[in-house]
Amino acid sequence: MKRPWHSLAPDAVCDALRTGNAGLSTSEARRRLLADGPNQLAERPKPGPVRRFIGQFGDVTVVALLVAAVIAVVLALYDDAPQSTLARYGDAIAIGIIVLMNAVIGFVQERKAESALEALQSMTAPVARVSRDGQRATVGAVELVTGDVVFLGEGDRVPADLRLLEASDVAVSEAALTGESAPVRKDSTAELPDETALAERETLCFMGTHVTAGRATGVVVATGMQTELGLIAGMLGAVDAPETPLQAELRRFGAWVVVGCVAIGMIVFAVQALRTDAGFSLLFLTAVSLAVAAIPEGLPAVTTIVLALGVQRMAARNALVRRLPAVEALGSAQVICSDKTGTLTQNQMTVRRLATAHLRADVGDDTALLRLYRGGKELSPERHGVLRRLVAACRFAPAASVSVDAKGGRHIAGNPTDGALLDLYARADFGADERLITGERPFDRERRLATVRVAEREGGVVGYTHGAFESVVAACVSVLDEAGEPVPLEAALREELALRMEAWAADGLRVLAIAERRAAHSTPLDVLETEMTLIGLVGMSDPPRPEVPAAILTAKKAGVATMMITGDHPKTARAIGNEVGLVEGELLSGAQIDEMNDQELASRLPRVAIVARATALHKLRIVQAFDAMGMSVAMTGDGVNDAPALKAATIGIAMGKGGTDVTREAADLVLSDDNYASIVAAIEEGRVIFSNIQKFILFLLSVNTGLVLAVFFASLLGWPPILTPTEILWINLITNGLPALALGREPVHLDPMARGPRDPGAGFVSFVDGVWLVGHGIWMALLGLLVFAYHAQSGDITTARTMAFTVLAIAPLFHAFNCRSRTDSIFALGAFGNRSLLAAFGVALLLQGIAVYVPVVDEVFRTQPLSPGEVAIALAVSASALVVGELEKVVTRRLAGAWTAPGDRSGADARGSA
């Protein structure tokens, strides 16, 4: 992310140096603030409540429903039959209610997600310490301008891009910006800058990063959108968020429904024009009525409600959904592109190995107590004096501090390396070390050492030094033997220790050496760093989250590949990859990606498991390459550098605790616990949701097929209308809508993670599904036609229509049980396995009874009460839909048994059960 040197305000640096860091005057700062604007990231203008609500009506199927409502009004206007206003406009009113309900649910859910995200915002430093009018002052970070002199201390968040004028042992964590877990050392600009000096990144502190050690004074060289953070945020504007698989499929499906409805209407119009002498208006209205009947009016509302229920379940599993379709999108994920720092790892340096001249130990994962192991057997520091002295020496790490909260939890502040040493000591629980620290010599890049002088109780002092292996060992003349006595450090042992250091480094560990020197009280600190005695080595790293290896294995079994993308060195990246289970696949570096065009990158990526030395642009190119291959990609991350790739991915997943505002704004899903295992749970939930959406879509389509065929063939046979438009809408919205909603809550039958992800390009309905739903639709249509024909023989058309209405409303209720699984009987699934469906069955029966028997309502539907015998016939005929479904499953299972080895049922219900 290197920018042209001339963009870094060299004049501001020069002025600050010439004026002795006196800073700007208040009036000049005010003038620059008016000219350049506040020091904050530009937020994309959010649509207001009205615009957001209107946006809920953009779905193709919803538009079709609105058109249907207009048509229903036209039908009512041309209907000369005497009827009440409610009866006349009942169709339009019902459609309007269902569309409005769908919009309200979507609007409320989006608003809840926005409110939750607003509560997470904490990226920009709220205040800054500056020099104004030659005096130190505290101002709001948004008021900083180019040329302000800012003072930084350990633990501060950098409020703007700064050029350091003075620096004392400064280290900055840039993990949020670059993904690098290790702090970066920073130097000051020692003299008036020239072009070369201004290009040095080491003299810059960037907005949004954290000071982990030291103190510094810097001059603001960029604010707001001109900062490195702002440049990355600006990249988001050039990245279009792709459609999720569900959005794309619903769009295609809605278009297909509209085209199908128009085609059906045209066919009916043509057939009727050839067979009858009716006028154009009557033929047109009849054709339009049938086209309206073909639209599954309940689909948008049921889909929205099922997704909203999925949002609630995922919130209980620590996943906040920002866009409803993202609930399902994870279920189709084929690749997870995961950031390493803070996502796969804990973003906290931890000591993993210890070594003395004669003993090596692994540090256990217990975060409360120190447990050491050798060859799988636990070691006691108490029984190994040198090991205990090595751990005790970790107590003297001056650049960090450890605090304990009310619940006993430890919190580390300051330099992560020193923090890891202090944490190791705290876990050992050796008790309070009351020895007095009489001097400190902080770490610097030249010496690569840090030393603490401690007064001994028996007199004299001991200097504890830790730092880079090469620097510490070079200054040692002796080493502690097994008895804890100093013996000469021979060349052979030096070589052996160097080989151990290289082996640990190859495993991704940062290796420190710790030494001591005992001397008189008056010994200077620099002398204590000479002729030392080596105590041992400490190997530390940013460890994987404990749950990550199992989560990656689960994802692999589910057919979802994981790719780790990090800014670390390739060796470090490979070592972490091996720890989390990414042992297969190639390693690709950012430099190699730079040498590839998009086609070469796309051809290489399927074989890659780890990408090292990656920048924000590399991550974005990787996601776009997968997208170009038609693959569904989930991108996880917490740093600002992840934001553009998160937005470009099929679904972006941000971290709620360690994540940044820019990242969360770009994401579809925010993990409130930053737990990688929650991603796997979300994938499972997404697969279950898609399976259930597929269930109710097949249910709605099969029922609508029955309605269309019944009305269509009755028209071909020259019969009177067997259903009124209001009755058709009632069946679509009420008696069908409730079971469809219940199918959206169907419990899991088979393990959804035992099969691969679905093809994002595959539709909701396959050819086999189409045959299945048409077959059941034909059977339900036949039932309605038969009962109408039987009762119409007496000339009582109203009773015949009421019977057809009842059968075509109740048969789908029985058919809903068929849709729970395409292969398993309801007796195998458990008749009470989906209590929501049983409740929907009962409520729908009650509502159908109201439509037939309540005097005010039957006027709207133009029905008449049925006798007990007629009700019994209607129920028996309707129940045959379930009987036919069970017989079809028996045949399907036997055919599957003939094609599948005994006992092999894996994926047998891949489409029918989640």
Side-chain angles (χ1 to χ4, degrees):
M1 289 179 293
K2 188 173 288 186
R3 290 152 56 200
W5 70 272
H6 53 75
S7 69
L8 300 177
D11 292 341
V13 180
C14 298
D15 292 342
L17 289 172
R18 291 192 184 99
T19 59
N21 300 342
L24 301 175
S25 65
T26 302
S27 59
E28 176 62 17
R30 187 181 300 112
R31 185 190 68 79
R32 295 188 184 188
L33 183 63
L34 292 174
D36 300 336
N39 175 38
Q40 61 186 16
L41 300 183
E43 294 186 1
R44 300 178 68 181
K46 297 180 180 179
V50 175
R51 184 177 175 185
R52 182 178 292 149
F53 183 75
I54 293 176
Q56 306 297 323
F57 298 92
D59 181 78
V60 175
T61 310
V62 173
V63 172
L65 287 177
L66 293 175
V67 173
V70 174
I71 293 173
V73 172
V74 174
L75 289 171
L77 292 174
Y78 279 87
D79 190 352
D80 296 331
Q83 52 187 325
S84 65
T85 302
L86 178 61
R88 181 179 298 275
Y89 296 103
D91 296 347
I93 293 173
I95 294 176
I97 290 174
I98 203 69
V99 170
L100 184 63
M101 182 176 67
N102 175 72
V104 169
I105 293 173
F107 174 81
V108 170
Q109 179 55 42
E110 288 186 9
R111 184 63 197 127
K112 283 183 178 180
E114 291 292 337
S115 298
L117 285 170
E118 289 171 2
L120 289 172
Q121 292 195 351
S122 60
M123 184 63 188
T124 306
V127 295
R129 297 187 301 276
V130 300
S131 178
R132 291 274 175 91
D133 298 318
Q135 303 292 324
R136 291 202 178 195
T138 300
V139 300
V142 295
E143 300 176 22
L144 289 179
V145 296
T146 302
D148 260 327
V149 173
V150 178
F151 303 99
L152 299 175
E154 186 174 301
D156 286 348
R157 184 171 290 168
V158 180
D161 281 4
L162 308 177
R163 171 73 64 187
L164 296 186
L165 305 174
E166 298 176 359
S168 175
D169 191 32
V170 176
V172 176
S173 171
E174 297 183 346
L177 195 66
T178 66
E180 294 275 7
S181 56
V184 179
R185 309 300 301 189
K186 297 293 181 179
D187 294 325
S188 63
T189 304
E191 55 188 19
L192 290 181
D194 57 19
E195 181 173 334
T196 301
L198 282 173
E200 292 294 335
R201 185 183 180 92
E202 289 76 7
T203 62
L204 287 170
C205 285
F206 300 104
M207 180 181 184
T209 59
H210 289 78
V211 179
T212 61
R215 292 178 293 275
T217 302
V219 59
V220 175
V221 294
T223 61
M225 293 301 291
Q226 300 304 313
T227 63
E228 293 286 313
L229 184 64
L231 293 179
I232 294 176
M235 290 172 61
L236 295 178
V239 179
D240 295 325
E243 285 185 320
T244 67
L246 179 64
Q247 287 176 315
E249 184 57 30
L250 285 177
R251 176 180 51 78
R252 290 193 297 265
F253 179 72
W256 177 82
V257 166
V258 172
V259 172
C261 292
V262 173
I264 290 172
M266 294 176 63
I267 292 173
V268 170
F269 181 87
V271 171
Q272 290 284 57
L274 293 174
R275 296 189 70 255
T276 68
D277 296 328
F280 174 83
S281 297
L282 179 59
L283 293 178
F284 174 75
L285 294 176
T286 303
V288 168
S289 298
L290 188 58
V292 171
I295 299 176
E297 284 87 355
L299 177 60
V302 173
T303 302
T304 301
I305 292 172
V306 169
L307 290 176
L309 292 173
V311 167
Q312 295 177 7
R313 291 196 297 270
M314 294 183 78
R317 302 177 84 167
N318 301 308
L320 171 66
V321 178
R322 297 191 64 229
R323 291 194 298 155
L324 279 180
V327 178
E328 176 277 336
L330 264 177
S332 65
Q334 296 166 298
V335 182
I336 299 176
C337 294
S338 176
D339 180 47
K340 184 204 66 140
T341 304
T343 306
L344 296 177
T345 66
Q346 300 175 26
N347 198 19
Q348 178 177 314
M349 295 299 292
T350 303
V351 175
R352 311 292 296 280
R353 294 177 190 170
L354 300 174
T356 65
H358 305 283
L359 184 66
R360 176 188 176 280
D362 295 317
V363 180
D365 294 330
D366 192 328
T367 58
L369 297 174
L370 175 62
R371 297 186 184 277
L372 303 179
Y373 299 88
R374 183 182 185 186
K377 296 182 179 180
E378 187 169 355
L379 296 175
S380 171
E382 302 293 341
R383 297 180 59 185
H384 299 276
V386 180
L387 206 58
R388 177 186 174 90
R389 286 175 67 174
L390 178 61
V391 174
C394 294
R395 146 82 169 84
F396 302 103
S401 61
V402 175
S403 59
V404 180
D405 59 26
K407 297 182 179 180
R410 293 191 304 276
H411 302 278
I412 299 173
N415 181 272
T417 300
D418 281 21
L421 298 177
L422 289 178
D423 181 67
L424 179 75
Y425 175 79
R427 289 162 60 187
D429 196 22
F430 286 164
D433 188 336
E434 298 179 354
R435 290 181 293 173
L436 180 65
I437 296 176
T438 62
E440 298 178 8
R441 193 179 189 196
F443 183 95
D444 64 47
R445 299 185 67 181
E446 287 73 29
R447 294 166 33 250
R448 302 175 70 196
L449 304 172
T451 298
V452 173
R453 186 174 57 203
V454 180
E456 292 282 71
R457 298 183 184 90
E458 61 274 15
V461 297
V462 58
Y464 289 105
T465 299
H466 70 271
F469 172 87
E470 297 85 352
S471 300
V472 173
V473 173
C476 290
V477 296
S478 58
V479 61
L480 295 180
D481 63 10
E482 290 185 271
E485 297 296 329
V487 296
L489 181 56
E490 305 290 349
L493 183 55
R494 289 178 186 271
E495 184 176 351
E496 180 183 335
L497 292 173
L499 291 175
R500 177 167 293 172
M501 184 274 295
E502 292 176 2
W504 285 10
D507 290 339
L509 298 181
R510 180 181 303 166
V511 184
L512 301 182
I514 298 180
E516 66 178 23
R517 178 175 175 178
R518 299 181 183 275
H521 276 292
S522 59
T523 306
L525 284 165
D526 59 341
V527 175
L528 290 176
E529 292 181 351
T530 63
E531 299 182 358
M532 296 184 292
T533 298
L534 180 66
I535 304 175
L537 308 182
V538 175
M540 61 179 66
S541 69
D542 182 8
R545 293 178 177 272
E547 66 280 354
V548 164
I552 288 180
L553 181 60
T554 300
K556 181 179 179 181
K557 291 179 179 178
V560 182
T562 300
M563 176 182 290
M564 183 177 77
I565 306 177
T566 176
D568 283 340
H569 186 278
K571 287 187 176 180
T572 304
R574 175 58 76 181
I576 292 292
N578 290 338
E579 285 195 80
V580 300
L582 296 176
V583 295
E584 301 175 358
E586 301 176 4
L587 185 147
L588 191 65
S589 70
Q592 290 173 306
I593 294 177
D594 289 334
E595 296 174 357
M596 298 179 182
N597 58 36
D598 292 342
Q599 292 74 22
E600 292 170 337
L601 178 60
S603 64
R604 181 79 178 275
L605 283 180
R607 305 191 301 274
V608 174
I610 300 172
V611 179
R613 293 301 191 203
T615 66
L617 181 58
H618 294 144
K619 295 181 180 184
L620 182 58
R621 283 192 63 195
I622 289 169
V623 171
Q624 291 174 336
F626 276 121
D627 183 64
M629 290 186 283
M631 299 183 69
S632 182
V633 184
M635 170 68 186
T636 71
D638 55 359
V640 176
N641 60 321
D642 299 326
L646 259 65
K647 185 176 180 182
T650 310
I651 178 166
I653 309 169
M655 303 295 128
K657 287 184 177 179
T660 59
D661 290 343
V662 175
T663 309
R664 288 192 288 265
E665 182 68 26
D668 303 294
L669 196 71
V670 179
L671 300 181
S672 60
D673 62 349
D674 290 11
N675 192 332
Y676 187 88
S678 297
I679 300 171
V680 178
I683 290 177
E684 178 179 350
E685 191 69 49
R687 292 188 178 188
V688 172
I689 289 172
F690 179 82
S691 179
N692 288 347
I693 289 176
Q694 189 179 57
K695 286 181 176 69
F696 71 67
I697 284 180
L698 292 178
F699 167 73
L700 290 174
L701 286 182
S702 57
V703 173
N704 273 64
T705 299
L707 287 176
V708 170
L709 292 177
V711 175
F712 179 65
F713 283 107
S715 176
L716 289 181
L717 294 172
W719 293 359
I722 67 171
L723 293 174
T724 66
T726 305
E727 289 171 344
I728 293 173
L729 200 62
W730 174 266
I731 294 172
N732 277 341
L733 298 180
I734 306 302
T735 59
N736 289 351
L738 293 176
L741 187 57
L743 286 172
R745 304 186 67 180
E746 179 69 17
V748 176
H749 301 160
L750 301 178
D751 182 7
M753 304 300 281
R755 53 186 167 87
R758 70 181 181 88
D759 182 359
F764 282 114
V765 182
S766 67
F767 175 78
V768 175
D769 293 330
V771 173
W772 181 86
L773 70 87
V774 169
H776 283 279
I778 290 174
W779 180 254
M780 287 184 283
L782 185 61
L783 297 179
L785 291 169
L786 288 176
V787 295
F788 182 87
Y790 177 79
H791 288 83
Q793 291 178 354
S794 63
D796 188 353
I797 299 300
T798 303
T799 299
R801 181 181 292 121
T802 303
M803 283 292 293
F805 174 42
T806 302
V807 168
L808 289 172
I810 297 178
L813 301 182
F814 287 98
H815 176 55
F817 290 95
N818 295 330
C819 297
R820 291 184 60 195
S821 171
R822 289 284 302 279
T823 57
D824 293 329
S825 167
I826 62 167
F827 302 105
L829 297 174
F832 297 95
N834 188 340
R835 297 183 182 275
S836 298
L837 186 56
L838 292 174
F841 185 92
V843 172
L845 274 181
L846 178 63
L847 292 174
Q848 183 63 22
I850 292 175
V852 173
Y853 289 101
V854 175
V856 177
V857 180
D858 66 8
E859 178 186 350
V860 176
F861 293 100
R862 303 175 193 174
T863 59
Q864 68 178 32
L866 300 176
S867 67
E870 291 168 336
V871 171
I873 292 174
L875 288 174
V877 170
S878 299
S880 69
L882 177 59
V883 175
V884 169
E886 287 294 304
L887 292 175
E888 178 255 337
K889 290 178 183 179
V890 171
V891 174
T892 301
R893 287 196 297 272
R894 290 185 176 178
L895 291 175
W899 297 332
T900 307
D904 182 7
R905 283 294 311 281
S906 62
D909 199 16
R911 294 190 67 86
S913 288

